[in-house]
Amino acid sequence: MTEVVVGIDVGGTNTKFGFVDKVGHCYREESILTNAQEPPELFASRVAEAIKGEFTSLRSTHSMIGIGIGAPNANYYRGTVESPPNLSWKGVVDVVGLFKKHIPLPVVITNDANAAALGEGMFGAARGMKDYIVITLGTGVGSGLIANGQLIYGSDGFAGELGHTIVDVNGRWCGCGRRGCLEQYASAGGICRTVFELLAVRREDSELRSISFDELTSIMITEAALRGDVIAREAFEVTGRILGLKLAEAVAHTSPEAIVLFGGLAHAGDLIFEPTHRYMEQYMLNIFRNKVKLVPSGLAEGNTAVLGAAALIWHELTRRG
Amino acid sequence: MTEVVVGIDVGGTNTKFGFVDKVGHCYREESILTNAQEPPELFASRVAEAIKGEFTSLRSTHSMIGIGIGAPNANYYRGTVESPPNLSWKGVVDVVGLFKKHIPLPVVITNDANAAALGEGMFGAARGMKDYIVITLGTGVGSGLIANGQLIYGSDGFAGELGHTIVDVNGRWCGCGRRGCLEQYASAGGICRTVFELLAVRREDSELRSISFDELTSIMITEAALRGDVIAREAFEVTGRILGLKLAEAVAHTSPEAIVLFGGLAHAGDLIFEPTHRYMEQYMLNIFRNKVKLVPSGLAEGNTAVLGAAALIWHELTRRG
């Protein structure tokens, strides 16, 4: 019998799950609608039924030994999801408790970025490392910090909010109510804002001058930059300078062996990696220079989150012995 | 027989040591000259002889089970001190190896701020906490980060350099060769620089206008502030704003239960704690607000460093079982 865990990725629209063995092989990945407006009890029971259904064909050869869940605003210590921005669940929902009712196995939950960090360490770009940081550059900027081989949850389970470190106290307004958070600069939406600032300040021609704020996407900026558009290239330079500075500061905190970047903006490849790495080195304290690797995710695109959630529960089962 | 460890604090001028039991009682604290211009071999042999001499009177009732050393630029993983700024030792010195030659016991070394962090956790203000940060506001700004009950050494042993996170990339020149490091704002020398900036910009009378840059000390600023001097009070406000911002960012990394401040500038008490706490809350992400304690050191002034070094080896002996 091969032992597998269930990795569940709770998203605003879809919830994906898959059965993952200890070397990161993913069996029967499935996706069902989250139906975020439903009560969470119903959600848990639907997902649990789907898991049991899918597991039928594996039952003779595999044993299911635990469940890991990655979800927005999840709290590892309490097993809860708290006022998630993309789900209409109210207040504090005991997600771990709800799942255990249906499937009596060890269940652990954490936020998506933390799950991704454990996934990179177990199956991806940070395999074998004891000290590293994973940053997601997507709609938001999330992060997971690993030190001494352990995820840093902090005193309240909310550690690793690098997207809300401050670039400029008088900077761009953030959804969190403060100003100048890294998330407003180094996310997919952040680089769009940077383009609009540059269009306002600079005089160069740019194909981006014909696109409205509502229409502009980070993919358009990447494509324009690849065609040599000056404003688009400068937007990556600015983004790399800001992200590089904040990564240098993160290095001063935990001195990681590597920083793994993934999510939408990381797909721009060298356009974002090159300036980010250059500025990170420039702004880094001398004792850390030329040591910290800046690398893309080593997890297969598409099931990153499921592998991350699976790594979370594998990590937990290993720790508990 | 009561078990004790030796805590050694290597300073530029004096080296202190003491025998410390598991509850932080310190027996026979002694100080000898470091004689920094001597070769490190001679230094280790002199300190070892002094330890053996002092231990004679304890030998019948106490057993010595390990040695912890706090020293500038010490590397925990390698057991070395590397090009220390205040000692004339050249290159990489195997301090752990040198001590073991004279006293065949477990020996561990780390930098002073890390040792202090362990000391606060074992004997001081962070007793019983698993996630906290200790910041020293002295000649420099040092720090030690504890997460999951463990000191974060990072991949290379140099983690926790919060004094070299950047306040302003175009800011004050730092000894590290870069600009705008926190150390140039939140140290004893940093607040003096802030006073000189304020004297240049503001028009208010101040008793500090009669003091030269070379003469000014942070103690003079504290005394002036207590007498109501406007410039001196504003200097604490500015320092608190900058330190509070960087502490809010540190919280976003590791989400500590408490931050312990100690060293010269922390002696200013409320003058520095009040604005630092106020700005830390202001700049902190909402999920962390009203949770993080900002507290002074709980270690007896004077033997903080010896207790820290002792905590280091106690921590290590406990970990090794």
Side-chain angles (χ1 to χ4, degrees):
Chain A
M1 296 289 270
T2 305
E3 290 184 330
V4 292
V5 298
V6 188
I8 305 176
D9 166 39
V10 182
T13 309
N14 295 302
T15 291
K16 290 187 193 172
F17 66 86
F19 304 93
V20 179
D21 67 17
K22 209 163 182 176
V23 293
H25 188 100
C26 188
Y27 305 83
R28 306 195 63 80
E29 186 166 330
E30 288 298 323
S31 177
I32 65 173
L33 286 173
T34 302
N35 284 348
Q37 69 296 343
E38 278 181 11
E41 292 75 14
L42 207 57
F43 165 77
S45 108
R46 278 197 301 116
V47 176
E49 286 316 307
I51 289 170
K52 287 179 192 167
E54 288 297 327
F55 191 64
T56 318
S57 63
L58 294 170
R59 186 174 298 277
S60 58
T61 48
H62 294 74
S63 63
M64 196 199 301
I65 61 168
I67 296 175
I69 307 171
N73 286 35
N75 189 297
Y76 167 79
Y77 291 126
R78 288 181 253 177
T80 54
V81 165
E82 309 185 7
S83 312
N86 305 317
L87 306 173
S88 57
W89 305 349
K90 294 280 167 286
V92 176
V93 176
D94 175 16
V95 176
V96 163
L98 290 177
F99 272 89
K100 276 190 169 165
K101 248 196 271 180
H102 298 283
I103 306 178
L105 287 176
V107 182
V108 195
I109 195 167
T110 191
N111 75 45
D112 5 18
N114 283 345
L118 292 168
E120 294 292 347
M122 196 151 183
F123 310 126
R127 231 174 301 182
M129 294 184 193
K130 298 190 72 172
D131 301 274
Y132 62 94
I133 297 176
V134 173
I135 315 250
T136 67
L137 307 172
T139 312
V141 172
S143 65
L145 279 60
I146 308 273
N148 296 325
Q150 293 171 9
L151 192 65
I152 301 182
Y153 288 109
S155 61
D156 57 0
F158 291 123
E161 285 287 356
L162 299 204
H164 293 280
T165 57
I166 294 177
V167 170
D168 175 2
V169 291
N170 299 312
R172 300 176 186 170
W173 290 98
C174 184
C176 75
R178 298 173 310 151
R179 297 185 70 169
C181 292
L182 178 60
E183 181 160 294
Q184 297 308 317
Y185 298 83
S187 60
I191 194 169
C192 292
R193 287 170 191 270
T194 299
V195 161
F196 272 78
E197 273 188 9
L198 290 169
L199 290 175
V201 172
R202 305 273 296 249
R203 297 194 59 83
E204 285 91 341
D205 284 341
S206 167
E207 62 180 84
L208 303 174
R209 292 203 186 269
S210 65
I211 302 167
S212 75
F213 192 91
D214 282 344
E215 287 168 331
L216 187 66
T217 66
S218 64
I219 295 169
M220 290 177 190
I221 304 170
T222 300
E223 288 168 353
L226 290 172
R227 283 190 288 267
D229 188 278
V230 176
I231 296 294
R233 297 193 77 93
E234 181 65 15
F236 278 106
E237 180 77 12
V238 170
T239 306
R241 177 164 53 72
I242 291 168
L243 181 57
L245 170 61
K246 300 314 276 184
L247 295 187
E249 297 215 74
V251 169
H253 285 74
T254 62
S255 184
E257 182 179 342
I259 298 176
V260 182
L261 300 184
F262 86 96
L265 206 53
H267 295 153
D270 254 9
L271 283 173
I272 186 69
F273 276 82
E274 188 280 322
T276 303
H277 190 254
R278 175 161 38 87
Y279 283 109
M280 179 177 88
E281 289 291 338
Q282 177 182 323
Y283 289 130
M284 204 146 59
L285 183 61
N286 49 4
I287 53 170
F288 299 121
R289 281 196 193 136
N290 304 312
K291 283 182 184 173
V292 185
K293 301 173 196 107
L294 188 69
V295 293
S297 169
L299 298 177
E301 190 65 34
N303 68 353
T304 315
V306 165
L307 287 174
L312 168 68
I313 179 68
W314 274 122
H315 195 255
E316 193 71 17
L317 292 168
T318 313
R319 240 171 45 156
R320 293 181 186 175
Chain B
M1 298 287 271
T2 305
E3 290 184 331
V4 293
V5 298
V6 188
I8 305 176
D9 166 39
V10 181
T13 308
N14 294 302
T15 292
K16 290 187 194 173
F17 67 88
F19 304 92
V20 179
D21 67 18
K22 208 161 183 177
V23 294
H25 188 100
C26 188
Y27 305 83
R28 307 195 62 80
E29 186 166 328
E30 288 298 323
S31 177
I32 65 172
L33 286 173
T34 301
N35 285 348
Q37 69 296 341
E38 276 182 10
E41 292 75 14
L42 208 57
F43 165 76
S45 108
R46 278 197 301 115
V47 175
E49 285 317 305
I51 289 170
K52 287 178 191 167
E54 288 298 326
F55 192 64
T56 317
S57 63
L58 294 170
R59 185 173 301 276
S60 58
T61 48
H62 294 73
S63 63
M64 194 199 303
I65 62 167
I67 297 175
I69 307 171
N73 286 35
N75 189 296
Y76 168 79
Y77 292 125
R78 288 181 253 177
T80 55
V81 165
E82 309 184 8
S83 312
N86 304 318
L87 305 173
S88 58
W89 304 350
K90 292 283 167 286
V92 176
V93 177
D94 175 16
V95 176
V96 163
L98 291 176
F99 272 88
K100 276 189 170 166
K101 247 196 272 181
H102 298 284
I103 306 177
L105 286 176
V107 182
V108 195
I109 194 168
T110 191
N111 75 45
D112 3 20
N114 283 345
L118 292 168
E120 294 292 348
M122 195 151 184
F123 310 125
R127 231 174 302 182
M129 294 185 194
K130 299 191 72 172
D131 300 274
Y132 62 93
I133 297 175
V134 172
I135 315 250
T136 67
L137 307 172
T139 312
V141 173
S143 66
L145 279 61
I146 309 272
N148 296 326
Q150 293 172 8
L151 191 65
I152 300 182
Y153 288 109
S155 61
D156 56 0
F158 290 123
E161 284 289 354
L162 300 203
H164 293 281
T165 57
I166 294 177
V167 170
D168 175 1
V169 290
N170 299 312
R172 300 177 187 169
W173 291 98
C174 183
C176 75
R178 297 174 310 152
R179 298 184 69 168
C181 292
L182 179 61
E183 181 160 294
Q184 296 309 316
Y185 298 82
S187 60
I191 195 168
C192 292
R193 287 171 191 268
T194 299
V195 161
F196 273 77
E197 271 187 11
L198 290 168
L199 291 174
V201 173
R202 306 273 295 249
R203 298 194 58 82
E204 286 92 340
D205 283 342
S206 167
E207 61 179 86
L208 303 174
R209 291 200 186 273
S210 66
I211 301 167
S212 74
F213 192 92
D214 282 345
E215 287 168 331
L216 186 66
T217 66
S218 63
I219 296 169
M220 291 177 190
I221 304 170
T222 300
E223 287 168 353
L226 291 172
R227 283 189 288 264
D229 188 277
V230 176
I231 296 294
R233 297 193 78 94
E234 180 64 15
F236 277 106
E237 180 77 11
V238 170
T239 306
R241 177 165 52 73
I242 291 168
L243 181 57
L245 170 61
K246 300 314 276 184
L247 295 187
E249 297 215 74
V251 169
H253 283 74
T254 62
S255 183
E257 181 178 343
I259 298 175
V260 182
L261 299 184
F262 86 96
L265 206 53
H267 295 153
D270 255 8
L271 282 172
I272 186 70
F273 276 82
E274 188 280 322
T276 302
H277 190 255
R278 175 161 37 85
Y279 283 109
M280 180 177 87
E281 289 291 339
Q282 178 181 323
Y283 289 129
M284 205 146 58
L285 183 61
N286 49 4
I287 54 172
F288 299 121
R289 281 196 193 136
N290 303 313
K291 283 182 185 173
V292 185
K293 303 175 196 104
L294 188 69
V295 293
S297 170
L299 297 177
E301 190 64 34
N303 68 353
T304 315
V306 165
L307 287 174
L312 168 69
I313 179 68
W314 273 121
H315 194 256
E316 193 70 17
L317 292 169
T318 313
R319 240 173 44 157
R320 292 182 187 174

